[in-house]
Amino acid sequence: MYYIWKEWKENIKGKGLWLSFGIIVLVSVSLLFKSSSLSFDQGFYVLLINLFDAFVYFIPLLCLFLGAFSIFQEKEQKTLIMLLTRRDSFLSFLFKKSIAIHSGLLGPLIVWFFIYLVPLKFFFQTDLKSYLAFLLSLICFTIIFTQLGVLIGSISRSRMQIVGFSIVIWFYFFFLHDFILLSFLTDITYENVKWFSAVYFLNPIQAARMYLESSLGVYSFDHMSKLLQSFMWMKPGLFLLANVSFLLVVSFIAGVFFHRKEGSE
């Protein structure tokens, strides 16, 4: 609880979280008014997909920066050394700090989107199950990129390194991951399609998008080809759960083993 309370106090005083939250609110409201001309029964689903597509451009980058700078701030202010000397190992510190960072980011996000549901009921015919699927997909890739940000903050020794690592990771998942897989597309067979599928859904953006679009009924898996059945060898929700579990564990372990205790300007 100490770490959570400390993180909340730092977020209230700082500008980074409120600026990020303001961008999310602005995009949400502007897309709501832009979509108000859509049909009452189908516009809700179109809005959710548009919201997700808009958020994947900047929420991952915001989470990377916020997670990284939250860890790096402990190095700059020398509080990390004091915490490790007095009460915690670095593994314990990183675990508690990660939970605190996630709570500080997800708390306002979840509250806002439950508030956002109120005006949606005046514009569209809402479906709570679909809305919860949207919120879950948003929460999942927010958690993943925040934890990757924690990894960046743990291994970085300067703010420039944080900026560089964050841009590289964002660029990889947003562009490079799919581009690399496209180069192997002609070599996909029934024998190796499951491996290709596993690597494809390691991208949290794709895993969250597939889960959301299948939950909204955009994709139907009732009449699939044999190759597509082999590709979708798990339900989209399980792919997303596996993605979250794997990336959280890997990024946390890497943050523990490759951390640097000192930071510089």
PDB file of all heavy atoms in Angstrom, residues 194-229:
ATOM      1  N   LYS A 194       0.706 -23.059 -36.778  1.00  0.00           N
ATOM      2  CA  LYS A 194       0.500 -22.782 -35.359  1.00  0.00           C
ATOM      3  C   LYS A 194       1.652 -21.968 -34.779  1.00  0.00           C
ATOM      4  O   LYS A 194       1.436 -21.087 -33.942  1.00  0.00           O
ATOM      5  CB  LYS A 194       0.326 -24.088 -34.578  1.00  0.00           C
ATOM      6  CG  LYS A 194      -1.029 -24.759 -34.798  1.00  0.00           C
ATOM      7  CD  LYS A 194      -1.204 -25.950 -33.873  1.00  0.00           C
ATOM      8  CE  LYS A 194      -2.579 -26.574 -34.043  1.00  0.00           C
ATOM      9  NZ  LYS A 194      -2.795 -27.731 -33.141  1.00  0.00           N
ATOM     10  N   TRP A 195       2.866 -22.271 -35.223  1.00  0.00           N
ATOM     11  CA  TRP A 195       4.007 -21.469 -34.781  1.00  0.00           C
ATOM     12  C   TRP A 195       3.889 -20.032 -35.284  1.00  0.00           C
ATOM     13  O   TRP A 195       4.164 -19.082 -34.557  1.00  0.00           O
ATOM     14  CB  TRP A 195       5.313 -22.101 -35.278  1.00  0.00           C
ATOM     15  CG  TRP A 195       5.686 -23.352 -34.571  1.00  0.00           C
ATOM     16  CD1 TRP A 195       5.582 -24.630 -35.033  1.00  0.00           C
ATOM     17  CD2 TRP A 195       6.214 -23.465 -33.252  1.00  0.00           C
ATOM     18  NE1 TRP A 195       6.006 -25.535 -34.094  1.00  0.00           N
ATOM     19  CE2 TRP A 195       6.406 -24.842 -32.977  1.00  0.00           C
ATOM     20  CE3 TRP A 195       6.550 -22.542 -32.257  1.00  0.00           C
ATOM     21  CZ2 TRP A 195       6.917 -25.309 -31.776  1.00  0.00           C
ATOM     22  CZ3 TRP A 195       7.061 -23.005 -31.049  1.00  0.00           C
ATOM     23  CH2 TRP A 195       7.231 -24.368 -30.821  1.00  0.00           C
ATOM     24  N   PHE A 196       3.476 -19.904 -36.536  1.00  0.00           N
ATOM     25  CA  PHE A 196       3.273 -18.569 -37.105  1.00  0.00           C
ATOM     26  C   PHE A 196       2.202 -17.817 -36.326  1.00  0.00           C
ATOM     27  O   PHE A 196       2.350 -16.627 -36.023  1.00  0.00           O
ATOM     28  CB  PHE A 196       2.876 -18.696 -38.576  1.00  0.00           C
ATOM     29  CG  PHE A 196       2.659 -17.381 -39.258  1.00  0.00           C
ATOM     30  CD1 PHE A 196       3.727 -16.663 -39.766  1.00  0.00           C
ATOM     31  CD2 PHE A 196       1.378 -16.856 -39.403  1.00  0.00           C
ATOM     32  CE1 PHE A 196       3.529 -15.444 -40.396  1.00  0.00           C
ATOM     33  CE2 PHE A 196       1.176 -15.645 -40.035  1.00  0.00           C
ATOM     34  CZ  PHE A 196       2.255 -14.932 -40.532  1.00  0.00           C
ATOM     35  N   SER A 197       1.118 -18.519 -35.985  1.00  0.00           N
ATOM     36  CA  SER A 197       0.036 -17.902 -35.223  1.00  0.00           C
ATOM     37  C   SER A 197       0.515 -17.452 -33.852  1.00  0.00           C
ATOM     38  O   SER A 197       0.184 -16.346 -33.391  1.00  0.00           O
ATOM     39  CB  SER A 197      -1.118 -18.898 -35.079  1.00  0.00           C
ATOM     40  OG  SER A 197      -2.112 -18.398 -34.212  1.00  0.00           O
ATOM     41  N   ALA A 198       1.303 -18.291 -33.181  1.00  0.00           N
ATOM     42  CA  ALA A 198       1.807 -17.948 -31.850  1.00  0.00           C
ATOM     43  C   ALA A 198       2.678 -16.699 -31.891  1.00  0.00           C
ATOM     44  O   ALA A 198       2.561 -15.815 -31.032  1.00  0.00           O
ATOM     45  CB  ALA A 198       2.598 -19.126 -31.278  1.00  0.00           C
ATOM     46  N   VAL A 199       3.539 -16.600 -32.906  1.00  0.00           N
ATOM     47  CA  VAL A 199       4.394 -15.424 -33.044  1.00  0.00           C
ATOM     48  C   VAL A 199       3.563 -14.194 -33.416  1.00  0.00           C
ATOM     49  O   VAL A 199       3.794 -13.093 -32.900  1.00  0.00           O
ATOM     50  CB  VAL A 199       5.491 -15.673 -34.104  1.00  0.00           C
ATOM     51  CG1 VAL A 199       6.315 -14.407 -34.330  1.00  0.00           C
ATOM     52  CG2 VAL A 199       6.392 -16.812 -33.670  1.00  0.00           C
ATOM     53  N   TYR A 200       2.581 -14.375 -34.282  1.00  0.00           N
ATOM     54  CA  TYR A 200       1.716 -13.261 -34.695  1.00  0.00           C
ATOM     55  C   TYR A 200       0.996 -12.653 -33.495  1.00  0.00           C
ATOM     56  O   TYR A 200       0.932 -11.427 -33.340  1.00  0.00           O
ATOM     57  CB  TYR A 200       0.704 -13.751 -35.724  1.00  0.00           C
ATOM     58  CG  TYR A 200      -0.289 -12.716 -36.171  1.00  0.00           C
ATOM     59  CD1 TYR A 200       0.048 -11.763 -37.135  1.00  0.00           C
ATOM     60  CD2 TYR A 200      -1.580 -12.671 -35.635  1.00  0.00           C
ATOM     61  CE1 TYR A 200      -0.863 -10.800 -37.541  1.00  0.00           C
ATOM     62  CE2 TYR A 200      -2.486 -11.717 -36.037  1.00  0.00           C
ATOM     63  CZ  TYR A 200      -2.135 -10.783 -36.991  1.00  0.00           C
ATOM     64  OH  TYR A 200      -3.048  -9.836 -37.390  1.00  0.00           O
ATOM     65  N   PHE A 201       0.466 -13.509 -32.630  1.00  0.00           N
ATOM     66  CA  PHE A 201      -0.300 -13.011 -31.483  1.00  0.00           C
ATOM     67  C   PHE A 201       0.586 -12.638 -30.304  1.00  0.00           C
ATOM     68  O   PHE A 201       0.064 -12.280 -29.242  1.00  0.00           O
ATOM     69  CB  PHE A 201      -1.355 -14.033 -31.072  1.00  0.00           C
ATOM     70  CG  PHE A 201      -2.528 -14.081 -32.005  1.00  0.00           C
ATOM     71  CD1 PHE A 201      -2.758 -15.198 -32.798  1.00  0.00           C
ATOM     72  CD2 PHE A 201      -3.390 -13.003 -32.116  1.00  0.00           C
ATOM     73  CE1 PHE A 201      -3.834 -15.242 -33.675  1.00  0.00           C
ATOM     74  CE2 PHE A 201      -4.472 -13.030 -32.984  1.00  0.00           C
ATOM     75  CZ  PHE A 201      -4.694 -14.152 -33.767  1.00  0.00           C
ATOM     76  N   LEU A 202       1.911 -12.707 -30.471  1.00  0.00           N
ATOM     77  CA  LEU A 202       2.797 -12.113 -29.472  1.00  0.00           C
ATOM     78  C   LEU A 202       2.727 -10.594 -29.508  1.00  0.00           C
ATOM     79  O   LEU A 202       3.159  -9.924 -28.569  1.00  0.00           O
ATOM     80  CB  LEU A 202       4.242 -12.562 -29.695  1.00  0.00           C
ATOM     81  CG  LEU A 202       4.650 -13.890 -29.079  1.00  0.00           C
ATOM     82  CD1 LEU A 202       6.097 -14.193 -29.397  1.00  0.00           C
ATOM     83  CD2 LEU A 202       4.420 -13.884 -27.568  1.00  0.00           C
ATOM     84  N   ASN A 203       2.218 -10.055 -30.598  1.00  0.00           N
ATOM     85  CA  ASN A 203       2.003  -8.618 -30.698  1.00  0.00           C
ATOM     86  C   ASN A 203       0.738  -8.275 -29.908  1.00  0.00           C
ATOM     87  O   ASN A 203      -0.358  -8.683 -30.279  1.00  0.00           O
ATOM     88  CB  ASN A 203       1.836  -8.219 -32.166  1.00  0.00           C
ATOM     89  CG  ASN A 203       1.788  -6.716 -32.352  1.00  0.00           C
ATOM     90  OD1 ASN A 203       1.405  -5.971 -31.451  1.00  0.00           O
ATOM     91  ND2 ASN A 203       2.165  -6.256 -33.530  1.00  0.00           N
ATOM     92  N   PRO A 204       0.860  -7.541 -28.803  1.00  0.00           N
ATOM     93  CA  PRO A 204      -0.326  -7.264 -27.977  1.00  0.00           C
ATOM     94  C   PRO A 204      -1.389  -6.458 -28.705  1.00  0.00           C
ATOM     95  O   PRO A 204      -2.578  -6.598 -28.407  1.00  0.00           O
ATOM     96  CB  PRO A 204       0.252  -6.479 -26.791  1.00  0.00           C
ATOM     97  CG  PRO A 204       1.558  -5.947 -27.277  1.00  0.00           C
ATOM     98  CD  PRO A 204       2.078  -6.936 -28.256  1.00  0.00           C
ATOM     99  N   ILE A 205      -0.985  -5.628 -29.650  1.00  0.00           N
ATOM    100  CA  ILE A 205      -1.959  -4.853 -30.409  1.00  0.00           C
ATOM    101  C   ILE A 205      -2.831  -5.767 -31.250  1.00  0.00           C
ATOM    102  O   ILE A 205      -4.060  -5.625 -31.292  1.00  0.00           O
ATOM    103  CB  ILE A 205      -1.246  -3.801 -31.284  1.00  0.00           C
ATOM    104  CG1 ILE A 205      -0.504  -2.790 -30.398  1.00  0.00           C
ATOM    105  CG2 ILE A 205      -2.239  -3.092 -32.195  1.00  0.00           C
ATOM    106  CD1 ILE A 205       0.319  -1.789 -31.177  1.00  0.00           C
ATOM    107  N   GLN A 206      -2.212  -6.744 -31.912  1.00  0.00           N
ATOM    108  CA  GLN A 206      -2.975  -7.672 -32.743  1.00  0.00           C
ATOM    109  C   GLN A 206      -3.831  -8.606 -31.894  1.00  0.00           C
ATOM    110  O   GLN A 206      -4.968  -8.923 -32.260  1.00  0.00           O
ATOM    111  CB  GLN A 206      -2.024  -8.490 -33.630  1.00  0.00           C
ATOM    112  CG  GLN A 206      -1.197  -7.673 -34.603  1.00  0.00           C
ATOM    113  CD  GLN A 206      -2.051  -6.900 -35.610  1.00  0.00           C
ATOM    114  OE1 GLN A 206      -3.268  -7.041 -35.665  1.00  0.00           O
ATOM    115  NE2 GLN A 206      -1.401  -6.080 -36.404  1.00  0.00           N
ATOM    116  N   ALA A 207      -3.302  -9.066 -30.775  1.00  0.00           N
ATOM    117  CA  ALA A 207      -4.067  -9.953 -29.899  1.00  0.00           C
ATOM    118  C   ALA A 207      -5.293  -9.236 -29.334  1.00  0.00           C
ATOM    119  O   ALA A 207      -6.398  -9.799 -29.306  1.00  0.00           O
ATOM    120  CB  ALA A 207      -3.181 -10.457 -28.762  1.00  0.00           C
ATOM    121  N   ALA A 208      -5.113  -7.996 -28.907  1.00  0.00           N
ATOM    122  CA  ALA A 208      -6.235  -7.228 -28.362  1.00  0.00           C
ATOM    123  C   ALA A 208      -7.241  -6.890 -29.449  1.00  0.00           C
ATOM    124  O   ALA A 208      -8.460  -6.950 -29.219  1.00  0.00           O
ATOM    125  CB  ALA A 208      -5.715  -5.952 -27.698  1.00  0.00           C
ATOM    126  N   ARG A 209      -6.758  -6.538 -30.638  1.00  0.00           N
ATOM    127  CA  ARG A 209      -7.673  -6.212 -31.740  1.00  0.00           C
ATOM    128  C   ARG A 209      -8.502  -7.431 -32.150  1.00  0.00           C
ATOM    129  O   ARG A 209      -9.715  -7.314 -32.366  1.00  0.00           O
ATOM    130  CB  ARG A 209      -6.891  -5.672 -32.934  1.00  0.00           C
ATOM    131  CG  ARG A 209      -7.781  -5.402 -34.155  1.00  0.00           C
ATOM    132  CD  ARG A 209      -7.011  -4.880 -35.334  1.00  0.00           C
ATOM    133  NE  ARG A 209      -6.734  -3.465 -35.202  1.00  0.00           N
ATOM    134  CZ  ARG A 209      -5.525  -2.935 -35.070  1.00  0.00           C
ATOM    135  NH1 ARG A 209      -4.466  -3.732 -35.049  1.00  0.00           N
ATOM    136  NH2 ARG A 209      -5.359  -1.640 -34.966  1.00  0.00           N
ATOM    137  N   MET A 210      -7.865  -8.584 -32.274  1.00  0.00           N
ATOM    138  CA  MET A 210      -8.595  -9.792 -32.658  1.00  0.00           C
ATOM    139  C   MET A 210      -9.650 -10.150 -31.616  1.00  0.00           C
ATOM    140  O   MET A 210     -10.774 -10.531 -31.957  1.00  0.00           O
ATOM    141  CB  MET A 210      -7.625 -10.950 -32.859  1.00  0.00           C
ATOM    142  CG  MET A 210      -8.291 -12.259 -33.271  1.00  0.00           C
ATOM    143  SD  MET A 210      -9.162 -12.149 -34.855  1.00  0.00           S
ATOM    144  CE  MET A 210      -7.753 -12.137 -35.991  1.00  0.00           C
ATOM    145  N   TYR A 211      -9.289 -10.020 -30.339  1.00  0.00           N
ATOM    146  CA  TYR A 211     -10.253 -10.305 -29.273  1.00  0.00           C
ATOM    147  C   TYR A 211     -11.439  -9.348 -29.352  1.00  0.00           C
ATOM    148  O   TYR A 211     -12.602  -9.778 -29.254  1.00  0.00           O
ATOM    149  CB  TYR A 211      -9.576 -10.200 -27.915  1.00  0.00           C
ATOM    150  CG  TYR A 211     -10.550 -10.188 -26.765  1.00  0.00           C
ATOM    151  CD1 TYR A 211     -11.218 -11.355 -26.398  1.00  0.00           C
ATOM    152  CD2 TYR A 211     -10.828  -9.008 -26.072  1.00  0.00           C
ATOM    153  CE1 TYR A 211     -12.145 -11.343 -25.358  1.00  0.00           C
ATOM    154  CE2 TYR A 211     -11.738  -8.993 -25.028  1.00  0.00           C
ATOM    155  CZ  TYR A 211     -12.399 -10.161 -24.681  1.00  0.00           C
ATOM    156  OH  TYR A 211     -13.312 -10.146 -23.653  1.00  0.00           O
ATOM    157  N   LEU A 212     -11.162  -8.064 -29.524  1.00  0.00           N
ATOM    158  CA  LEU A 212     -12.238  -7.080 -29.572  1.00  0.00           C
ATOM    159  C   LEU A 212     -13.141  -7.294 -30.774  1.00  0.00           C
ATOM    160  O   LEU A 212     -14.373  -7.334 -30.638  1.00  0.00           O
ATOM    161  CB  LEU A 212     -11.644  -5.669 -29.605  1.00  0.00           C
ATOM    162  CG  LEU A 212     -12.657  -4.525 -29.788  1.00  0.00           C
ATOM    163  CD1 LEU A 212     -13.645  -4.496 -28.635  1.00  0.00           C
ATOM    164  CD2 LEU A 212     -11.948  -3.189 -29.936  1.00  0.00           C
ATOM    165  N   GLU A 213     -12.547  -7.447 -31.950  1.00  0.00           N
ATOM    166  CA  GLU A 213     -13.350  -7.562 -33.165  1.00  0.00           C
ATOM    167  C   GLU A 213     -14.146  -8.856 -33.195  1.00  0.00           C
ATOM    168  O   GLU A 213     -15.270  -8.891 -33.715  1.00  0.00           O
ATOM    169  CB  GLU A 213     -12.456  -7.431 -34.393  1.00  0.00           C
ATOM    170  CG  GLU A 213     -11.865  -6.028 -34.530  1.00  0.00           C
ATOM    171  CD  GLU A 213     -11.009  -5.861 -35.769  1.00  0.00           C
ATOM    172  OE1 GLU A 213     -10.702  -6.880 -36.428  1.00  0.00           O
ATOM    173  OE2 GLU A 213     -10.636  -4.710 -36.077  1.00  0.00           O
ATOM    174  N   SER A 214     -13.601  -9.930 -32.634  1.00  0.00           N
ATOM    175  CA  SER A 214     -14.376 -11.170 -32.556  1.00  0.00           C
ATOM    176  C   SER A 214     -15.504 -11.035 -31.534  1.00  0.00           C
ATOM    177  O   SER A 214     -16.608 -11.565 -31.738  1.00  0.00           O
ATOM    178  CB  SER A 214     -13.469 -12.345 -32.192  1.00  0.00           C
ATOM    179  OG  SER A 214     -12.881 -12.162 -30.917  1.00  0.00           O
ATOM    180  N   SER A 215     -15.277 -10.304 -30.443  1.00  0.00           N
ATOM    181  CA  SER A 215     -16.312 -10.090 -29.436  1.00  0.00           C
ATOM    182  C   SER A 215     -17.441  -9.216 -29.972  1.00  0.00           C
ATOM    183  O   SER A 215     -18.602  -9.383 -29.578  1.00  0.00           O
ATOM    184  CB  SER A 215     -15.713  -9.440 -28.183  1.00  0.00           C
ATOM    185  OG  SER A 215     -14.729 -10.264 -27.594  1.00  0.00           O
ATOM    186  N   LEU A 216     -17.112  -8.290 -30.868  1.00  0.00           N
ATOM    187  CA  LEU A 216     -18.128  -7.417 -31.456  1.00  0.00           C
ATOM    188  C   LEU A 216     -18.827  -8.046 -32.659  1.00  0.00           C
ATOM    189  O   LEU A 216     -19.744  -7.452 -33.215  1.00  0.00           O
ATOM    190  CB  LEU A 216     -17.486  -6.081 -31.883  1.00  0.00           C
ATOM    191  CG  LEU A 216     -16.863  -5.229 -30.772  1.00  0.00           C
ATOM    192  CD1 LEU A 216     -16.338  -3.920 -31.344  1.00  0.00           C
ATOM    193  CD2 LEU A 216     -17.854  -4.971 -29.661  1.00  0.00           C
ATOM    194  N   GLY A 217     -18.384  -9.228 -33.062  1.00  0.00           N
ATOM    195  CA  GLY A 217     -19.015  -9.910 -34.185  1.00  0.00           C
ATOM    196  C   GLY A 217     -18.514  -9.471 -35.541  1.00  0.00           C
ATOM    197  O   GLY A 217     -19.118  -9.803 -36.567  1.00  0.00           O
ATOM    198  N   VAL A 218     -17.377  -8.744 -35.564  1.00  0.00           N
ATOM    199  CA  VAL A 218     -16.812  -8.329 -36.850  1.00  0.00           C
ATOM    200  C   VAL A 218     -16.294  -9.542 -37.605  1.00  0.00           C
ATOM    201  O   VAL A 218     -16.463  -9.664 -38.821  1.00  0.00           O
ATOM    202  CB  VAL A 218     -15.680  -7.302 -36.638  1.00  0.00           C
ATOM    203  CG1 VAL A 218     -15.002  -6.953 -37.964  1.00  0.00           C
ATOM    204  CG2 VAL A 218     -16.237  -6.048 -35.984  1.00  0.00           C
ATOM    205  N   TYR A 219     -15.649 -10.446 -36.869  1.00  0.00           N
ATOM    206  CA  TYR A 219     -15.165 -11.696 -37.459  1.00  0.00           C
ATOM    207  C   TYR A 219     -16.028 -12.851 -36.970  1.00  0.00           C
ATOM    208  O   TYR A 219     -16.369 -12.929 -35.782  1.00  0.00           O
ATOM    209  CB  TYR A 219     -13.711 -11.965 -37.069  1.00  0.00           C
ATOM    210  CG  TYR A 219     -12.720 -11.028 -37.699  1.00  0.00           C
ATOM    211  CD1 TYR A 219     -11.762 -10.387 -36.925  1.00  0.00           C
ATOM    212  CD2 TYR A 219     -12.737 -10.778 -39.067  1.00  0.00           C
ATOM    213  CE1 TYR A 219     -10.845  -9.521 -37.493  1.00  0.00           C
ATOM    214  CE2 TYR A 219     -11.826  -9.921 -39.632  1.00  0.00           C
ATOM    215  CZ  TYR A 219     -10.888  -9.290 -38.851  1.00  0.00           C
ATOM    216  OH  TYR A 219      -9.986  -8.434 -39.413  1.00  0.00           O
ATOM    217  N   SER A 220     -16.364 -13.731 -37.868  1.00  0.00           N
ATOM    218  CA  SER A 220     -17.094 -14.939 -37.520  1.00  0.00           C
ATOM    219  C   SER A 220     -16.195 -16.145 -37.774  1.00  0.00           C
ATOM    220  O   SER A 220     -15.582 -16.256 -38.832  1.00  0.00           O
ATOM    221  CB  SER A 220     -18.373 -15.063 -38.354  1.00  0.00           C
ATOM    222  OG  SER A 220     -19.011 -16.293 -38.103  1.00  0.00           O
ATOM    223  N   PHE A 221     -16.123 -17.033 -36.800  1.00  0.00           N
ATOM    224  CA  PHE A 221     -15.285 -18.220 -36.920  1.00  0.00           C
ATOM    225  C   PHE A 221     -16.118 -19.487 -37.112  1.00  0.00           C
ATOM    226  O   PHE A 221     -15.672 -20.589 -36.835  1.00  0.00           O
ATOM    227  CB  PHE A 221     -14.402 -18.361 -35.675  1.00  0.00           C
ATOM    228  CG  PHE A 221     -13.480 -17.191 -35.454  1.00  0.00           C
ATOM    229  CD1 PHE A 221     -13.705 -16.293 -34.421  1.00  0.00           C
ATOM    230  CD2 PHE A 221     -12.405 -16.975 -36.300  1.00  0.00           C
ATOM    231  CE1 PHE A 221     -12.859 -15.216 -34.225  1.00  0.00           C
ATOM    232  CE2 PHE A 221     -11.556 -15.894 -36.114  1.00  0.00           C
ATOM    233  CZ  PHE A 221     -11.785 -15.018 -35.074  1.00  0.00           C
ATOM    234  N   ASP A 222     -17.335 -19.296 -37.593  1.00  0.00           N
ATOM    235  CA  ASP A 222     -18.218 -20.457 -37.808  1.00  0.00           C
ATOM    236  C   ASP A 222     -17.850 -21.241 -39.056  1.00  0.00           C
ATOM    237  O   ASP A 222     -17.980 -22.462 -39.082  1.00  0.00           O
ATOM    238  CB  ASP A 222     -19.681 -19.985 -37.896  1.00  0.00           C
ATOM    239  CG  ASP A 222     -20.164 -19.389 -36.584  1.00  0.00           C
ATOM    240  OD1 ASP A 222     -19.635 -19.789 -35.530  1.00  0.00           O
ATOM    241  OD2 ASP A 222     -21.051 -18.517 -36.620  1.00  0.00           O
ATOM    242  N   HIS A 223     -17.441 -20.555 -40.100  1.00  0.00           N
ATOM    243  CA  HIS A 223     -17.148 -21.232 -41.377  1.00  0.00           C
ATOM    244  C   HIS A 223     -15.729 -20.861 -41.815  1.00  0.00           C
ATOM    245  O   HIS A 223     -15.523 -20.019 -42.694  1.00  0.00           O
ATOM    246  CB  HIS A 223     -18.170 -20.833 -42.443  1.00  0.00           C
ATOM    247  CG  HIS A 223     -19.585 -21.083 -42.034  1.00  0.00           C
ATOM    248  ND1 HIS A 223     -20.134 -22.344 -42.007  1.00  0.00           N
ATOM    249  CD2 HIS A 223     -20.554 -20.234 -41.604  1.00  0.00           C
ATOM    250  CE1 HIS A 223     -21.391 -22.276 -41.600  1.00  0.00           C
ATOM    251  NE2 HIS A 223     -21.677 -21.005 -41.347  1.00  0.00           N
ATOM    252  N   MET A 224     -14.739 -21.489 -41.187  1.00  0.00           N
ATOM    253  CA  MET A 224     -13.351 -21.187 -41.484  1.00  0.00           C
ATOM    254  C   MET A 224     -12.755 -22.261 -42.390  1.00  0.00           C
ATOM    255  O   MET A 224     -13.181 -23.423 -42.363  1.00  0.00           O
ATOM    256  CB  MET A 224     -12.531 -21.114 -40.194  1.00  0.00           C
ATOM    257  CG  MET A 224     -12.902 -19.981 -39.261  1.00  0.00           C
ATOM    258  SD  MET A 224     -11.731 -19.853 -37.867  1.00  0.00           S
ATOM    259  CE  MET A 224     -12.131 -21.362 -36.971  1.00  0.00           C
ATOM    260  N   SER A 225     -11.778 -21.846 -43.174  1.00  0.00           N
ATOM    261  CA  SER A 225     -11.019 -22.816 -43.947  1.00  0.00           C
ATOM    262  C   SER A 225     -10.151 -23.645 -42.997  1.00  0.00           C
ATOM    263  O   SER A 225      -9.958 -23.283 -41.827  1.00  0.00           O
ATOM    264  CB  SER A 225     -10.131 -22.103 -44.963  1.00  0.00           C
ATOM    265  OG  SER A 225      -9.140 -21.328 -44.307  1.00  0.00           O
ATOM    266  N   LYS A 226      -9.619 -24.743 -43.501  1.00  0.00           N
ATOM    267  CA  LYS A 226      -8.795 -25.614 -42.671  1.00  0.00           C
ATOM    268  C   LYS A 226      -7.542 -24.884 -42.193  1.00  0.00           C
ATOM    269  O   LYS A 226      -7.109 -25.038 -41.045  1.00  0.00           O
ATOM    270  CB  LYS A 226      -8.411 -26.865 -43.462  1.00  0.00           C
ATOM    271  CG  LYS A 226      -7.628 -27.887 -42.642  1.00  0.00           C
ATOM    272  CD  LYS A 226      -7.304 -29.127 -43.473  1.00  0.00           C
ATOM    273  CE  LYS A 226      -6.491 -30.113 -42.636  1.00  0.00           C
ATOM    274  NZ  LYS A 226      -6.145 -31.332 -43.437  1.00  0.00           N
ATOM    275  N   LEU A 227      -6.956 -24.069 -43.077  1.00  0.00           N
ATOM    276  CA  LEU A 227      -5.750 -23.332 -42.707  1.00  0.00           C
ATOM    277  C   LEU A 227      -6.061 -22.292 -41.626  1.00  0.00           C
ATOM    278  O   LEU A 227      -5.296 -22.125 -40.673  1.00  0.00           O
ATOM    279  CB  LEU A 227      -5.147 -22.656 -43.937  1.00  0.00           C
ATOM    280  CG  LEU A 227      -3.812 -21.936 -43.725  1.00  0.00           C
ATOM    281  CD1 LEU A 227      -2.740 -22.928 -43.278  1.00  0.00           C
ATOM    282  CD2 LEU A 227      -3.376 -21.216 -44.994  1.00  0.00           C
ATOM    283  N   LEU A 228      -7.199 -21.596 -41.769  1.00  0.00           N
ATOM    284  CA  LEU A 228      -7.569 -20.594 -40.780  1.00  0.00           C
ATOM    285  C   LEU A 228      -7.919 -21.245 -39.447  1.00  0.00           C
ATOM    286  O   LEU A 228      -7.631 -20.688 -38.385  1.00  0.00           O
ATOM    287  CB  LEU A 228      -8.750 -19.757 -41.279  1.00  0.00           C
ATOM    288  CG  LEU A 228      -9.172 -18.578 -40.395  1.00  0.00           C
ATOM    289  CD1 LEU A 228      -7.995 -17.644 -40.169  1.00  0.00           C
ATOM    290  CD2 LEU A 228     -10.345 -17.835 -41.008  1.00  0.00           C
ATOM    291  N   GLN A 229      -8.526 -22.427 -39.488  1.00  0.00           N
ATOM    292  CA  GLN A 229      -8.799 -23.153 -38.252  1.00  0.00           C
ATOM    293  C   GLN A 229      -7.502 -23.506 -37.530  1.00  0.00           C
ATOM    294  O   GLN A 229      -7.425 -23.427 -36.290  1.00  0.00           O
ATOM    295  CB  GLN A 229      -9.582 -24.432 -38.566  1.00  0.00           C
ATOM    296  CG  GLN A 229     -11.042 -24.192 -38.902  1.00  0.00           C
ATOM    297  CD  GLN A 229     -11.766 -25.486 -39.237  1.00  0.00           C
ATOM    298  OE1 GLN A 229     -11.126 -26.517 -39.473  1.00  0.00           O
ATOM    299  NE2 GLN A 229     -13.083 -25.445 -39.281  1.00  0.00           N
TER     300      GLN A 229
END
